[in-house]
Amino acid sequence: MYEQIAEQIEALIRDGTFAPGKRLPGERELAERVGISRPSLREALIALETAGLIETRVGDGTYVRADLSPTPVFPLATGRDLGPGTLEQFEARRALECAAAELAAQRAGAAERAVLQESLDRMHALVARGENPAEEHRVFHVALVDAAHNQIFSRLVRELWRARQGAMWETLRLKVENAESWRAGLVTRAQLMEALAARDGAAARALMEAHFHRVGRKYFDPGE
Amino acid sequence: MYEQIAEQIEALIRDGTFAPGKRLPGERELAERVGISRPSLREALIALETAGLIETRVGDGTYVRADLSPTPVFPLATGRDLGPGTLEQFEARRALECAAAELAAQRAGAAERAVLQESLDRMHALVARGENPAEEHRVFHVALVDAAHNQIFSRLVRELWRARQGAMWETLRLKVENAESWRAGLVTRAQLMEALAARDGAAARALMEAHFHRVGRKYFDPGE
DNA sequence: TCAAGGGAATTGGTCAGACCGGTTGACGGG
DNA sequence: CCCGTCAACCGGTCTGACCAATTCCCTTGA
């Protein structure tokens, strides 16, 4: 039954009854309106959340995700079906992000470069305060790959970064995240911005490859 | 909480504790074993079902899906103008196959090189008879990426090659598929085999990049 | 008058226990 | 030996309750 309800709610989202960014009715009210119990309604909501259509905030409410992709994605892909190894995920991200950096240098507009610069500025502030800029790293890299104007790259890199925040990566993250690496990352990303401004695709790719080479050694080389 | 439980169960599936096709313990037993209530356990199972890892049969039990691979990672080219275009697909294949070639040179075993050589031999025979070796091209490239020993690469490249056989690519295929390009392809792929035998990753990547550069111009440059 | 504090109402998160209908498989009758 | 029956088991659903987080309004004090 939860599948029927999920489809029903998804239809309401797609036809605009529940607009992106808006709050859905409360679980109790929604359950009564649809004519099912709250547990069943919850199961439908969890299916929609797993599918990436909605997000919930405890004590507040359930919201339609604002960044809905135009193509329906319901039956598939939460990153959950990626293969097991962290090394494999890293290699995939390396291949995609290096290629995306080159394309982004050729294609990024001023607005996209501004978004990247803002992220870099926030990173500076975080590092200055001694805080972990990991989440901002993700934002930067996702924005960079978006600037490549390739939906496939964007989608895959997003999923790979999301997977990187899971439990599987926890011990590896500790190996590379420290004050020194944060500062080094700021320099690298600043150079990347210069390459983008100069529309120098080769330089952008080279910088990204050097970055992944350096990080990869810290992650996976036993000697370090 | 259901997300934590879902990850936990997923880990058990991935490490083989719950093998594909096998039945999971009942909801009541599983909930007690994990230490949560049955509704919460059910929410985790629904997340896994939505993600395509398991399936439930009423009155019988919950089973690990036997076919974990064919679940697509991203929506591709179901319609004509839906989803990423041919250029985006080409760029993705380029990024992935070039990286895979380098890894394959480092990792391919004798058996995998033999499979590639057999495919190349069949290609020779086809071209000698004047037949289109396109399908054999696909076999070769898929085998090559498999030799990189990275499931993510394998799945994505498979899917992109499958999309390449669709209607969306039809006019583009005509631009590059002719007797001359077939013969040139044989030379390139023979060189690739040498790089693999020499375990020369850089050479393999360079050859693949040159290949994609050449083909990409024929596909997408208006002047040719 | 306005800002800060506090508490009540609302919301999602979790739980226990119960009942229903479908599936399976063993047991017993033909 | 085959087949039908039935009990045990399993997922599906519901009720009702309590908890924790968040919000927001109203009170209080400056």
Side-chain angles (χ1 to χ4, degrees):
Chain A
M1 162 177 295
Y2 79 86
E3 288 177 326
Q4 301 173 20
I5 304 299
E7 279 183 35
Q8 199 171 325
I9 296 175
E10 184 191 355
L12 292 174
I13 290 175
R14 300 228 173 265
D15 77 11
T17 305
F18 298 144
K22 288 295 181 183
R23 226 195 67 185
L24 266 62
E27 295 186 353
R28 294 164 179 84
E29 179 187 345
L30 204 50
E32 189 179 6
R33 197 191 296 186
V34 184
I36 61 174
S37 70
R38 202 176 146 217
S40 295
L41 188 270
R42 268 185 69 78
E43 293 180 354
L45 291 181
I46 279 165
L48 291 173
E49 189 177 9
T50 304
L53 268 82
I54 61 174
E55 58 184 334
T56 61
R57 303 175 206 162
V58 288
D60 185 1
T62 306
Y63 290 79
V64 180
R65 286 188 69 95
D67 57 341
L68 273 183
S69 79
T71 48
V73 193
F74 182 61
L76 35 97
T78 55
R80 206 175 274 302
D81 45 13
L82 284 177
T86 50
L87 176 59
E88 295 178 49
Q89 291 181 25
F90 180 81
E91 287 170 355
R93 216 167 66 220
R94 178 178 196 162
L96 292 166
E97 288 204 56
C98 288
E102 183 171 1
L103 293 173
Q106 297 162 4
R107 299 175 179 171
E112 288 161 329
R113 285 203 303 273
V115 169
L116 285 164
Q117 188 60 52
E118 287 168 16
S119 173
L120 188 54
D121 292 342
R122 283 194 297 274
M123 246 182 265
H124 263 108
L126 284 168
V127 172
R129 289 203 303 273
E131 296 178 21
N132 190 336
E135 170 59 18
E136 197 62 44
H137 279 178
R138 193 184 65 78
V139 171
F140 184 89
H141 281 249
V142 165
L144 180 64
V145 74
D146 280 349
H149 296 174
N150 185 311
Q151 297 177 41
I152 301 176
F153 282 25
S154 291
R155 169 126 195 212
L156 294 174
V157 168
R158 273 193 167 75
E159 285 190 20
L160 289 165
W161 270 91
R162 187 142 46 93
R164 184 183 178 279
Q165 295 173 308
M168 178 185 278
W169 279 84
E170 191 165 349
T171 58
L172 289 180
R173 280 199 301 266
L174 296 177
K175 286 190 181 179
V176 296
E177 295 182 357
N178 57 63
E180 187 195 352
S181 74
W182 299 342
R183 277 190 294 274
L186 290 177
V187 176
T188 299
R189 290 178 178 83
Q191 292 173 327
L192 211 44
M193 291 300 299
E194 291 177 19
L196 258 62
R199 298 203 169 283
D200 189 342
R205 169 186 277 274
L207 285 164
M208 190 64 90
E209 280 177 351
H211 170 70
F212 271 95
H213 180 73
R214 191 167 53 245
V215 176
R217 285 180 45 151
K218 287 191 186 171
Y219 274 143
F220 301 108
D221 270 15
E224 309 227 357
Chain B
M1 161 177 296
Y2 79 87
E3 288 176 325
Q4 303 173 18
I5 304 299
E7 276 188 38
Q8 200 171 325
I9 296 177
E10 183 191 354
L12 292 174
I13 291 175
R14 301 244 171 254
D15 76 13
T17 306
F18 298 144
K22 288 294 181 182
R23 225 195 65 185
L24 267 61
E27 295 186 354
R28 294 164 179 84
E29 178 187 346
L30 204 50
E32 188 180 7
R33 197 191 296 185
V34 183
I36 60 173
S37 70
R38 200 175 149 218
S40 294
L41 189 269
R42 268 185 68 78
E43 293 181 353
L45 291 180
I46 280 166
L48 290 173
E49 190 177 8
T50 304
L53 267 84
I54 61 175
E55 58 185 332
T56 60
R57 304 172 205 164
V58 285
D60 185 1
T62 307
Y63 291 80
V64 179
R65 286 187 70 96
D67 54 340
L68 283 181
S69 42
T71 326
V73 178
F74 54 92
L76 260 192
T78 49
R80 243 175 302 277
D81 39 15
L82 261 179
T86 49
L87 176 59
E88 294 177 54
Q89 292 180 27
F90 180 80
E91 287 169 355
R93 215 169 65 222
R94 179 178 196 161
L96 292 165
E97 287 204 55
C98 289
E102 183 171 0
L103 293 173
Q106 297 162 2
R107 297 174 180 172
E112 288 160 328
R113 285 201 303 273
V115 169
L116 285 164
Q117 187 61 53
E118 288 168 16
S119 172
L120 188 54
D121 292 343
R122 284 195 297 273
M123 247 182 267
H124 264 107
L126 284 169
V127 172
R129 290 203 302 273
E131 296 177 21
N132 189 336
E135 169 59 18
E136 197 62 43
H137 278 179
R138 193 186 63 80
V139 171
F140 183 89
H141 281 249
V142 166
L144 181 63
V145 75
D146 279 348
H149 295 175
N150 184 310
Q151 297 177 39
I152 301 177
F153 282 26
S154 292
R155 287 187 49 184
L156 295 175
V157 169
R158 272 194 168 75
E159 212 164 307
L160 289 165
W161 270 91
R162 188 157 49 81
R164 185 185 177 278
Q165 296 173 308
M168 174 186 277
W169 280 84
E170 192 165 347
T171 60
L172 289 179
R173 280 199 301 267
L174 296 177
K175 285 190 182 179
V176 297
E177 295 182 356
N178 56 62
E180 188 195 350
S181 73
W182 300 341
R183 276 191 296 275
L186 290 176
V187 175
T188 300
R189 289 177 177 82
Q191 292 173 326
L192 211 45
M193 290 301 299
E194 291 176 20
L196 258 62
R199 298 202 171 282
D200 188 341
R205 169 186 277 274
L207 285 165
M208 190 64 89
E209 280 177 351
H211 169 70
F212 271 94
H213 181 73
R214 194 167 50 243
V215 176
R217 287 179 45 150
K218 288 191 186 173
Y219 274 142
F220 301 107
D221 268 14
E224 309 228 355

